[in-house]
Amino acid sequence: MTRYLISFGVGAMDHIPDEEMPDVGKASHAVVQEAVNAGVWVFGAGLESRGASVVATDGTVTDGPYPKTKETIGGFSVVDVASREEALAWAAKIAVACRCAQKVRQLLPDPEQDAMLRQAGRRW
């Protein structure tokens, strides 16, 4: 199985009227439940819109926002599926539920991390 990041940009859902957001939430959670039931759901979340903190290699912390940033992730899902086509199918379901386009990127495998998680009795 391969993990994929499915994401949308900050502001991608700004076109949705406030009164329709509960319906979007219900539709989104229905897709999450479907993915959980299918055994492919890993994790997902929306991100707060305030600027990120950047911690440099020397430990220095700088707080955003960063106007040079071209795009910031507004929310994401991670699925563990057999193929890119399957990831794209889940992204399509999420796009319909969230009413916004989704980007799909394959996450690089990390067998050592997977082994650490298995040893700790966890699955990522």
Side-chain angles (χ1 to χ4, degrees):
M1 299 287 267
T2 304
R3 295 179 194 114
Y4 289 85
L5 174 70
I6 301 171
S7 64
F8 60 89
V10 70
M13 296 173 71
D14 287 352
H15 67 282
I16 303 170
D18 289 343
E19 62 272 9
E20 294 181 23
M21 288 307 285
D23 291 335
V24 172
K26 285 179 186 175
S28 298
H29 286 117
V31 173
V32 169
Q33 187 63 63
E34 183 181 351
V36 167
N37 293 347
V40 301
W41 184 257
V42 176
F43 183 77
L47 300 175
E48 64 178 20
S49 59
R50 73 178 202 159
S53 296
V54 175
V55 181
T57 56
D58 66 359
T60 304
V61 178
T62 307
D63 289 325
Y66 304 97
K68 292 182 182 178
T69 302
K70 292 187 179 191
E71 185 173 323
T72 305
I73 294 176
F76 68 94
S77 304
V78 177
V79 295
D80 193 2
V81 294
S83 68
R84 180 170 183 77
E85 291 72 27
E86 191 175 349
L88 293 171
W90 283 107
K93 292 178 184 193
I94 294 168
V96 170
C98 292
R99 303 182 191 177
C100 63
Q102 304 290 310
K103 290 186 177 181
V104 178
R105 297 186 68 188
Q106 182 176 337
L107 297 176
L108 296 174
D110 188 343
E112 287 184 41
Q113 180 185 160
D114 292 344
M116 287 183 254
L117 289 168
R118 276 193 305 278
Q119 187 174 24
R122 295 181 54 205
R123 180 181 174 267
W124 138 248

Short mmCIF file of all heavy atoms in Angstrom, two decimals, residues 52-122:
data_model
loop_
_atom_site.label_atom_id
_atom_site.label_comp_id
_atom_site.label_asym_id
_atom_site.label_seq_id
_atom_site.Cartn_x
_atom_site.Cartn_y
_atom_site.Cartn_z
N ALA A 52 2.25 30.23 10.27
CA ALA A 52 3.01 29.16 10.91
C ALA A 52 4.23 29.73 11.62
O ALA A 52 4.71 30.80 11.28
CB ALA A 52 3.46 28.15 9.87
N SER A 53 4.70 28.99 12.59
CA SER A 53 5.98 29.31 13.22
C SER A 53 7.05 28.48 12.54
O SER A 53 6.84 27.30 12.26
CB SER A 53 5.96 28.98 14.72
OG SER A 53 5.02 29.77 15.39
N VAL A 54 8.19 29.09 12.28
CA VAL A 54 9.29 28.39 11.65
C VAL A 54 10.40 28.26 12.68
O VAL A 54 10.82 29.25 13.28
CB VAL A 54 9.81 29.14 10.41
CG1 VAL A 54 11.03 28.45 9.83
CG2 VAL A 54 8.71 29.24 9.36
N VAL A 55 10.86 27.03 12.91
CA VAL A 55 11.96 26.78 13.83
C VAL A 55 13.19 26.45 12.99
O VAL A 55 13.21 25.44 12.28
CB VAL A 55 11.63 25.63 14.79
CG1 VAL A 55 12.79 25.40 15.76
CG2 VAL A 55 10.34 25.91 15.55
N ALA A 56 14.20 27.31 13.07
CA ALA A 56 15.43 27.14 12.29
C ALA A 56 16.30 26.06 12.93
O ALA A 56 16.06 25.63 14.06
CB ALA A 56 16.19 28.46 12.23
N THR A 57 17.33 25.65 12.21
CA THR A 57 18.22 24.60 12.70
C THR A 57 18.95 25.02 13.97
O THR A 57 19.40 24.16 14.74
CB THR A 57 19.25 24.20 11.63
OG1 THR A 57 19.96 25.37 11.21
CG2 THR A 57 18.56 23.56 10.44
N ASP A 58 19.06 26.33 14.21
CA ASP A 58 19.70 26.80 15.44
C ASP A 58 18.70 26.99 16.58
O ASP A 58 19.05 27.48 17.66
CB ASP A 58 20.47 28.09 15.20
CG ASP A 58 19.59 29.27 14.84
OD1 ASP A 58 18.34 29.11 14.76
OD2 ASP A 58 20.13 30.37 14.64
N GLY A 59 17.43 26.64 16.34
CA GLY A 59 16.41 26.76 17.36
C GLY A 59 15.68 28.10 17.36
O GLY A 59 14.73 28.28 18.11
N THR A 60 16.09 29.03 16.52
CA THR A 60 15.43 30.32 16.43
C THR A 60 14.01 30.14 15.90
O THR A 60 13.80 29.41 14.93
CB THR A 60 16.20 31.28 15.48
OG1 THR A 60 17.54 31.38 15.95
CG2 THR A 60 15.56 32.64 15.41
N VAL A 61 13.05 30.80 16.54
CA VAL A 61 11.65 30.70 16.13
C VAL A 61 11.22 32.02 15.51
O VAL A 61 11.42 33.08 16.08
CB VAL A 61 10.74 30.37 17.33
CG1 VAL A 61 9.28 30.33 16.89
CG2 VAL A 61 11.15 29.06 17.97
N THR A 62 10.64 31.93 14.32
CA THR A 62 10.10 33.09 13.62
C THR A 62 8.64 32.81 13.34
O THR A 62 8.29 31.73 12.85
CB THR A 62 10.84 33.33 12.29
OG1 THR A 62 12.24 33.37 12.54
CG2 THR A 62 10.39 34.61 11.63
N ASP A 63 7.78 33.77 13.67
CA ASP A 63 6.35 33.60 13.41
C ASP A 63 5.96 34.29 12.12
O ASP A 63 6.46 35.36 11.80
CB ASP A 63 5.52 34.15 14.57
CG ASP A 63 5.64 33.26 15.79
OD1 ASP A 63 5.73 32.04 15.61
OD2 ASP A 63 5.65 33.78 16.91
N GLY A 64 5.01 33.66 11.38
CA GLY A 64 4.50 34.20 10.13
C GLY A 64 3.50 35.29 10.39
O GLY A 64 3.41 35.76 11.51
N PRO A 65 2.74 35.73 9.44
CA PRO A 65 2.61 35.16 8.10
C PRO A 65 3.77 35.55 7.19
O PRO A 65 4.51 36.48 7.47
CB PRO A 65 1.31 35.76 7.59
CG PRO A 65 1.22 37.08 8.27
CD PRO A 65 1.87 36.87 9.62
N TYR A 66 3.87 34.83 6.11
CA TYR A 66 4.94 35.04 5.16
C TYR A 66 4.35 35.42 3.81
O TYR A 66 3.86 34.57 3.08
CB TYR A 66 5.80 33.78 5.04
CG TYR A 66 6.32 33.38 6.39
CD1 TYR A 66 5.68 32.41 7.14
CD2 TYR A 66 7.41 34.03 6.94
CE1 TYR A 66 6.14 32.07 8.40
CE2 TYR A 66 7.87 33.70 8.21
CZ TYR A 66 7.23 32.72 8.93
OH TYR A 66 7.67 32.41 10.18
N PRO A 67 4.36 36.70 3.46
CA PRO A 67 3.71 37.14 2.22
C PRO A 67 4.29 36.53 0.96
O PRO A 67 3.63 36.48 -0.05
CB PRO A 67 3.90 38.66 2.24
CG PRO A 67 4.94 38.93 3.26
CD PRO A 67 4.98 37.76 4.20
N LYS A 68 5.52 36.03 0.99
CA LYS A 68 6.11 35.44 -0.21
C LYS A 68 5.60 34.02 -0.46
O LYS A 68 5.84 33.46 -1.50
CB LYS A 68 7.64 35.42 -0.08
CG LYS A 68 8.25 36.80 -0.11
CD LYS A 68 9.74 36.72 -0.03
CE LYS A 68 10.33 38.13 0.00
NZ LYS A 68 11.77 38.12 0.13
N THR A 69 4.91 33.45 0.50
CA THR A 69 4.36 32.11 0.34
C THR A 69 3.27 32.13 -0.72
O THR A 69 2.31 32.87 -0.61
CB THR A 69 3.78 31.60 1.67
OG1 THR A 69 4.82 31.63 2.64
CG2 THR A 69 3.24 30.20 1.53
N LYS A 70 3.44 31.31 -1.74
CA LYS A 70 2.47 31.29 -2.83
C LYS A 70 1.23 30.51 -2.48
O LYS A 70 0.14 30.85 -2.90
CB LYS A 70 3.11 30.73 -4.10
CG LYS A 70 4.18 31.64 -4.65
CD LYS A 70 4.67 31.17 -5.98
CE LYS A 70 5.71 32.14 -6.48
NZ LYS A 70 6.06 31.94 -7.83
N GLU A 71 1.39 29.46 -1.71
CA GLU A 71 0.22 28.66 -1.36
C GLU A 71 0.44 28.00 -0.01
O GLU A 71 1.52 27.52 0.30
CB GLU A 71 -0.03 27.59 -2.41
CG GLU A 71 -1.30 26.83 -2.15
CD GLU A 71 -1.65 25.87 -3.26
OE1 GLU A 71 -1.41 26.20 -4.43
OE2 GLU A 71 -2.17 24.80 -2.95
N THR A 72 -0.60 27.99 0.77
CA THR A 72 -0.57 27.35 2.07
C THR A 72 -1.67 26.30 2.11
O THR A 72 -2.76 26.52 1.59
CB THR A 72 -0.82 28.40 3.18
OG1 THR A 72 0.13 29.45 3.04
CG2 THR A 72 -0.68 27.79 4.55
N ILE A 73 -1.40 25.17 2.74
CA ILE A 73 -2.41 24.12 2.85
C ILE A 73 -3.47 24.54 3.86
O ILE A 73 -3.15 24.98 4.96
CB ILE A 73 -1.77 22.78 3.26
CG1 ILE A 73 -0.84 22.28 2.15
CG2 ILE A 73 -2.83 21.73 3.57
CD1 ILE A 73 -0.10 21.01 2.50
N GLY A 74 -4.73 24.40 3.48
CA GLY A 74 -5.84 24.72 4.37
C GLY A 74 -6.40 23.49 5.07
O GLY A 74 -6.97 23.58 6.14
N GLY A 75 -6.23 22.34 4.46
CA GLY A 75 -6.69 21.09 5.03
C GLY A 75 -6.12 19.92 4.26
O GLY A 75 -5.68 20.08 3.12
N PHE A 76 -6.12 18.76 4.90
CA PHE A 76 -5.52 17.61 4.24
C PHE A 76 -6.10 16.31 4.75
O PHE A 76 -6.69 16.25 5.83
CB PHE A 76 -4.00 17.59 4.44
CG PHE A 76 -3.61 17.32 5.88
CD1 PHE A 76 -3.33 16.04 6.30
CD2 PHE A 76 -3.54 18.36 6.79
CE1 PHE A 76 -2.99 15.78 7.61
CE2 PHE A 76 -3.20 18.12 8.11
CZ PHE A 76 -2.92 16.83 8.53
N SER A 77 -5.91 15.27 3.96
CA SER A 77 -6.24 13.90 4.32
C SER A 77 -5.08 13.03 3.87
O SER A 77 -4.42 13.33 2.87
CB SER A 77 -7.50 13.43 3.58
OG SER A 77 -8.58 14.28 3.83
N VAL A 78 -4.83 11.97 4.61
CA VAL A 78 -3.84 10.99 4.20
C VAL A 78 -4.56 9.65 4.09
O VAL A 78 -5.25 9.23 5.03
CB VAL A 78 -2.67 10.89 5.21
CG1 VAL A 78 -1.69 9.80 4.80
CG2 VAL A 78 -1.96 12.24 5.34
N VAL A 79 -4.41 9.02 2.94
CA VAL A 79 -5.00 7.70 2.71
C VAL A 79 -3.89 6.73 2.35
O VAL A 79 -2.85 7.12 1.82
CB VAL A 79 -6.08 7.72 1.60
CG1 VAL A 79 -7.28 8.56 2.02
CG2 VAL A 79 -5.52 8.22 0.28
N ASP A 80 -4.10 5.48 2.66
CA ASP A 80 -3.15 4.41 2.37
C ASP A 80 -3.85 3.44 1.43
O ASP A 80 -4.72 2.67 1.85
CB ASP A 80 -2.75 3.72 3.68
CG ASP A 80 -1.54 2.81 3.54
OD1 ASP A 80 -0.96 2.72 2.44
OD2 ASP A 80 -1.17 2.19 4.55
N VAL A 81 -3.49 3.53 0.14
CA VAL A 81 -4.22 2.79 -0.89
C VAL A 81 -3.26 2.04 -1.81
O VAL A 81 -2.05 2.27 -1.79
CB VAL A 81 -5.11 3.76 -1.71
CG1 VAL A 81 -6.22 4.33 -0.85
CG2 VAL A 81 -4.30 4.88 -2.34
N ALA A 82 -3.81 1.19 -2.64
CA ALA A 82 -3.01 0.34 -3.52
C ALA A 82 -2.45 1.06 -4.75
O ALA A 82 -1.45 0.63 -5.31
CB ALA A 82 -3.83 -0.87 -3.96
N SER A 83 -3.10 2.15 -5.17
CA SER A 83 -2.66 2.78 -6.42
C SER A 83 -2.98 4.28 -6.43
O SER A 83 -3.82 4.75 -5.66
CB SER A 83 -3.36 2.13 -7.61
OG SER A 83 -4.75 2.44 -7.57
N ARG A 84 -2.31 4.98 -7.32
CA ARG A 84 -2.58 6.41 -7.50
C ARG A 84 -4.04 6.61 -7.95
O ARG A 84 -4.70 7.55 -7.54
CB ARG A 84 -1.61 7.01 -8.52
CG ARG A 84 -1.84 8.48 -8.77
CD ARG A 84 -0.70 9.11 -9.60
NE ARG A 84 -0.91 10.52 -9.77
CZ ARG A 84 -0.68 11.45 -8.85
NH1 ARG A 84 -0.22 11.09 -7.66
NH2 ARG A 84 -0.91 12.73 -9.08
N GLU A 85 -4.52 5.72 -8.79
CA GLU A 85 -5.90 5.81 -9.28
C GLU A 85 -6.88 5.76 -8.12
O GLU A 85 -7.87 6.49 -8.10
CB GLU A 85 -6.19 4.70 -10.30
CG GLU A 85 -5.47 4.86 -11.62
CD GLU A 85 -3.97 4.58 -11.56
OE1 GLU A 85 -3.52 3.80 -10.68
OE2 GLU A 85 -3.23 5.15 -12.38
N GLU A 86 -6.60 4.89 -7.14
CA GLU A 86 -7.48 4.81 -5.97
C GLU A 86 -7.39 6.10 -5.15
O GLU A 86 -8.41 6.59 -4.65
CB GLU A 86 -7.11 3.59 -5.12
CG GLU A 86 -8.14 3.30 -4.05
CD GLU A 86 -7.85 2.02 -3.27
OE1 GLU A 86 -6.97 1.23 -3.67
OE2 GLU A 86 -8.53 1.82 -2.25
N ALA A 87 -6.20 6.65 -5.02
CA ALA A 87 -6.04 7.93 -4.31
C ALA A 87 -6.82 9.04 -5.02
O ALA A 87 -7.48 9.86 -4.37
CB ALA A 87 -4.56 8.31 -4.21
N LEU A 88 -6.77 9.05 -6.34
CA LEU A 88 -7.51 10.05 -7.11
C LEU A 88 -9.02 9.88 -6.93
O LEU A 88 -9.76 10.86 -6.86
CB LEU A 88 -7.13 9.97 -8.59
CG LEU A 88 -5.68 10.37 -8.90
CD1 LEU A 88 -5.35 10.05 -10.37
CD2 LEU A 88 -5.44 11.84 -8.60
N ALA A 89 -9.47 8.63 -6.82
CA ALA A 89 -10.90 8.39 -6.59
C ALA A 89 -11.33 8.93 -5.23
O ALA A 89 -12.40 9.54 -5.11
CB ALA A 89 -11.20 6.89 -6.71
N TRP A 90 -10.50 8.73 -4.20
CA TRP A 90 -10.82 9.30 -2.87
C TRP A 90 -10.76 10.82 -2.91
O TRP A 90 -11.61 11.49 -2.31
CB TRP A 90 -9.88 8.74 -1.80
CG TRP A 90 -10.26 7.34 -1.42
CD1 TRP A 90 -9.61 6.18 -1.74
CD2 TRP A 90 -11.42 6.95 -0.68
NE1 TRP A 90 -10.31 5.11 -1.25
CE2 TRP A 90 -11.40 5.54 -0.58
CE3 TRP A 90 -12.47 7.65 -0.09
CZ2 TRP A 90 -12.40 4.82 0.07
CZ3 TRP A 90 -13.46 6.93 0.58
CH2 TRP A 90 -13.43 5.55 0.65
N ALA A 91 -9.80 11.37 -3.64
CA ALA A 91 -9.71 12.83 -3.77
C ALA A 91 -10.97 13.39 -4.43
O ALA A 91 -11.46 14.46 -4.05
CB ALA A 91 -8.47 13.22 -4.57
N ALA A 92 -11.51 12.68 -5.40
CA ALA A 92 -12.74 13.12 -6.07
C ALA A 92 -13.90 13.15 -5.09
O ALA A 92 -14.70 14.10 -5.09
CB ALA A 92 -13.05 12.20 -7.25
N LYS A 93 -13.99 12.14 -4.23
CA LYS A 93 -15.06 12.11 -3.23
C LYS A 93 -14.90 13.27 -2.24
O LYS A 93 -15.88 13.92 -1.86
CB LYS A 93 -15.06 10.78 -2.48
CG LYS A 93 -15.46 9.60 -3.33
CD LYS A 93 -15.38 8.31 -2.54
CE LYS A 93 -15.69 7.14 -3.47
NZ LYS A 93 -15.92 5.90 -2.73
N ILE A 94 -13.67 13.53 -1.84
CA ILE A 94 -13.40 14.63 -0.91
C ILE A 94 -13.71 15.97 -1.58
O ILE A 94 -14.29 16.86 -0.96
CB ILE A 94 -11.95 14.57 -0.41
CG1 ILE A 94 -11.75 13.31 0.44
CG2 ILE A 94 -11.58 15.83 0.38
CD1 ILE A 94 -10.30 12.99 0.75
N ALA A 95 -13.34 16.10 -2.85
CA ALA A 95 -13.61 17.35 -3.58
C ALA A 95 -15.10 17.65 -3.63
O ALA A 95 -15.52 18.79 -3.43
CB ALA A 95 -13.03 17.27 -4.99
N VAL A 96 -15.90 16.64 -3.89
CA VAL A 96 -17.35 16.83 -3.92
C VAL A 96 -17.86 17.24 -2.54
O VAL A 96 -18.63 18.19 -2.40
CB VAL A 96 -18.07 15.55 -4.41
CG1 VAL A 96 -19.57 15.65 -4.21
CG2 VAL A 96 -17.74 15.28 -5.88
N ALA A 97 -17.41 16.54 -1.50
CA ALA A 97 -17.88 16.83 -0.15
C ALA A 97 -17.46 18.22 0.32
O ALA A 97 -18.25 18.96 0.90
CB ALA A 97 -17.35 15.78 0.82
N CYS A 98 -16.21 18.59 0.04
CA CYS A 98 -15.67 19.88 0.49
C CYS A 98 -15.97 21.02 -0.48
O CYS A 98 -15.68 22.19 -0.17
CB CYS A 98 -14.17 19.78 0.69
SG CYS A 98 -13.68 18.74 2.06
N ARG A 99 -16.49 20.67 -1.65
CA ARG A 99 -16.81 21.65 -2.68
C ARG A 99 -15.60 22.46 -3.13
O ARG A 99 -15.69 23.65 -3.42
CB ARG A 99 -17.92 22.59 -2.20
CG ARG A 99 -19.19 21.87 -1.79
CD ARG A 99 -20.26 22.84 -1.38
NE ARG A 99 -21.37 22.14 -0.75
CZ ARG A 99 -22.42 22.76 -0.24
NH1 ARG A 99 -22.51 24.08 -0.30
NH2 ARG A 99 -23.38 22.08 0.32
N CYS A 100 -14.45 21.80 -3.18
CA CYS A 100 -13.24 22.47 -3.70
C CYS A 100 -12.27 21.43 -4.25
O CYS A 100 -12.31 20.26 -3.85
CB CYS A 100 -12.58 23.33 -2.62
SG CYS A 100 -11.95 22.42 -1.20
N ALA A 101 -11.44 21.87 -5.17
CA ALA A 101 -10.46 21.00 -5.80
C ALA A 101 -9.46 20.48 -4.78
O ALA A 101 -9.19 21.14 -3.77
CB ALA A 101 -9.74 21.76 -6.91
N GLN A 102 -8.92 19.31 -5.05
CA GLN A 102 -7.96 18.65 -4.17
C GLN A 102 -6.68 18.35 -4.94
O GLN A 102 -6.73 17.96 -6.10
CB GLN A 102 -8.54 17.34 -3.62
CG GLN A 102 -9.86 17.50 -2.91
CD GLN A 102 -9.72 18.20 -1.58
OE1 GLN A 102 -8.90 17.84 -0.76
NE2 GLN A 102 -10.56 19.22 -1.37
N LYS A 103 -5.54 18.50 -4.28
CA LYS A 103 -4.26 18.09 -4.85
C LYS A 103 -3.91 16.72 -4.28
O LYS A 103 -4.19 16.44 -3.11
CB LYS A 103 -3.16 19.08 -4.48
CG LYS A 103 -3.31 20.41 -5.17
CD LYS A 103 -2.12 21.28 -4.86
CE LYS A 103 -2.26 22.57 -5.64
NZ LYS A 103 -1.12 23.45 -5.40
N VAL A 104 -3.28 15.89 -5.10
CA VAL A 104 -2.90 14.55 -4.67
C VAL A 104 -1.40 14.39 -4.88
O VAL A 104 -0.90 14.60 -5.99
CB VAL A 104 -3.67 13.47 -5.47
CG1 VAL A 104 -3.23 12.08 -5.06
CG2 VAL A 104 -5.17 13.65 -5.29
N ARG A 105 -0.72 14.01 -3.79
CA ARG A 105 0.73 13.77 -3.87
C ARG A 105 1.06 12.49 -3.11
O ARG A 105 0.55 12.25 -2.03
CB ARG A 105 1.50 14.92 -3.24
CG ARG A 105 1.28 16.23 -3.98
CD ARG A 105 2.15 17.32 -3.44
NE ARG A 105 3.54 17.01 -3.76
CZ ARG A 105 4.55 17.72 -3.28
NH1 ARG A 105 4.35 18.71 -2.46
NH2 ARG A 105 5.78 17.41 -3.61
N GLN A 106 1.92 11.68 -3.71
CA GLN A 106 2.36 10.46 -3.06
C GLN A 106 3.36 10.81 -1.96
O GLN A 106 4.25 11.65 -2.16
CB GLN A 106 3.02 9.52 -4.07
CG GLN A 106 3.46 8.20 -3.47
CD GLN A 106 4.02 7.25 -4.51
OE1 GLN A 106 3.74 7.35 -5.69
NE2 GLN A 106 4.83 6.32 -4.04
N LEU A 107 3.20 10.19 -0.79
CA LEU A 107 4.17 10.35 0.29
C LEU A 107 5.28 9.33 0.09
O LEU A 107 5.02 8.18 -0.28
CB LEU A 107 3.50 10.15 1.65
CG LEU A 107 2.40 11.16 1.99
CD1 LEU A 107 1.74 10.78 3.31
CD2 LEU A 107 2.96 12.57 2.06
N LEU A 108 6.49 9.74 0.34
CA LEU A 108 7.62 8.82 0.19
C LEU A 108 7.56 7.75 1.26
O LEU A 108 7.27 8.04 2.43
CB LEU A 108 8.94 9.58 0.28
CG LEU A 108 9.18 10.60 -0.84
CD1 LEU A 108 10.45 11.39 -0.56
CD2 LEU A 108 9.27 9.90 -2.19
N PRO A 109 7.85 6.52 0.90
CA PRO A 109 7.84 5.45 1.90
C PRO A 109 9.00 5.63 2.89
O PRO A 109 10.06 6.15 2.53
CB PRO A 109 8.00 4.18 1.07
CG PRO A 109 8.60 4.61 -0.22
CD PRO A 109 8.18 6.04 -0.44
N ASP A 110 8.79 5.20 4.12
CA ASP A 110 9.82 5.25 5.15
C ASP A 110 9.74 3.96 5.96
O ASP A 110 9.11 3.92 7.02
CB ASP A 110 9.64 6.48 6.03
CG ASP A 110 10.78 6.68 7.00
OD1 ASP A 110 11.56 5.73 7.23
OD2 ASP A 110 10.91 7.80 7.54
N PRO A 111 10.36 2.89 5.47
CA PRO A 111 10.28 1.59 6.15
C PRO A 111 10.79 1.64 7.59
O PRO A 111 10.25 0.94 8.46
CB PRO A 111 11.15 0.66 5.29
CG PRO A 111 11.21 1.33 3.95
CD PRO A 111 11.12 2.80 4.22
N GLU A 112 11.79 2.45 7.87
CA GLU A 112 12.31 2.53 9.24
C GLU A 112 11.26 3.13 10.18
O GLU A 112 11.07 2.65 11.30
CB GLU A 112 13.59 3.36 9.28
CG GLU A 112 14.78 2.63 8.68
CD GLU A 112 16.07 3.42 8.81
OE1 GLU A 112 16.30 4.03 9.88
OE2 GLU A 112 16.83 3.42 7.83
N GLN A 113 10.57 4.18 9.73
CA GLN A 113 9.51 4.77 10.54
C GLN A 113 8.39 3.76 10.75
O GLN A 113 7.87 3.64 11.86
CB GLN A 113 8.96 6.03 9.87
CG GLN A 113 7.88 6.70 10.64
CD GLN A 113 7.26 7.88 9.89
OE1 GLN A 113 6.17 8.27 10.21
NE2 GLN A 113 7.92 8.44 8.92
N ASP A 114 8.02 3.07 9.70
CA ASP A 114 6.97 2.05 9.82
C ASP A 114 7.36 1.00 10.85
O ASP A 114 6.53 0.57 11.66
CB ASP A 114 6.69 1.39 8.47
CG ASP A 114 6.06 2.35 7.47
OD1 ASP A 114 5.56 3.42 7.88
OD2 ASP A 114 6.06 2.03 6.27
N ALA A 115 8.63 0.57 10.85
CA ALA A 115 9.10 -0.42 11.81
C ALA A 115 9.03 0.13 13.23
O ALA A 115 8.63 -0.59 14.16
CB ALA A 115 10.54 -0.85 11.48
N MET A 116 9.37 1.40 13.42
CA MET A 116 9.28 2.02 14.75
C MET A 116 7.84 2.03 15.24
O MET A 116 7.57 1.73 16.42
CB MET A 116 9.83 3.46 14.72
CG MET A 116 11.32 3.55 14.61
SD MET A 116 11.84 5.29 14.67
CE MET A 116 12.27 5.55 12.97
N LEU A 117 6.92 2.38 14.35
CA LEU A 117 5.51 2.42 14.73
C LEU A 117 4.98 1.03 15.06
O LEU A 117 4.25 0.86 16.03
CB LEU A 117 4.68 3.07 13.62
CG LEU A 117 4.87 4.57 13.45
CD1 LEU A 117 4.24 5.06 12.16
CD2 LEU A 117 4.33 5.33 14.65
N ARG A 118 5.37 0.04 14.26
CA ARG A 118 4.94 -1.34 14.55
C ARG A 118 5.47 -1.80 15.90
O ARG A 118 4.75 -2.40 16.69
CB ARG A 118 5.42 -2.29 13.45
CG ARG A 118 4.51 -2.35 12.23
CD ARG A 118 4.84 -3.51 11.32
NE ARG A 118 6.23 -3.55 10.90
CZ ARG A 118 6.73 -2.84 9.88
NH1 ARG A 118 5.97 -2.03 9.19
NH2 ARG A 118 8.00 -2.94 9.57
N GLN A 119 6.72 -1.46 16.19
CA GLN A 119 7.34 -1.85 17.46
C GLN A 119 6.60 -1.18 18.63
O GLN A 119 6.46 -1.77 19.69
CB GLN A 119 8.81 -1.46 17.48
CG GLN A 119 9.54 -1.98 18.69
CD GLN A 119 11.03 -1.70 18.61
OE1 GLN A 119 11.47 -0.78 17.93
NE2 GLN A 119 11.81 -2.51 19.31
N ALA A 120 6.10 0.04 18.41
CA ALA A 120 5.37 0.74 19.45
C ALA A 120 3.89 0.31 19.51
O ALA A 120 3.11 0.83 20.29
CB ALA A 120 5.45 2.25 19.23
N GLY A 121 3.52 -0.63 18.61
CA GLY A 121 2.14 -1.11 18.59
C GLY A 121 1.19 -0.17 17.89
O GLY A 121 -0.01 -0.20 18.12
N ARG A 122 1.73 0.67 17.03
CA ARG A 122 0.90 1.65 16.31
C ARG A 122 1.04 1.46 14.81
O ARG A 122 2.01 0.91 14.33
CB ARG A 122 1.35 3.07 16.68
CG ARG A 122 1.13 3.39 18.12
CD ARG A 122 1.54 4.79 18.48
NE ARG A 122 0.90 5.76 17.62
CZ ARG A 122 1.41 6.97 17.36
NH1 ARG A 122 2.54 7.33 17.89
NH2 ARG A 122 0.79 7.80 16.57
#
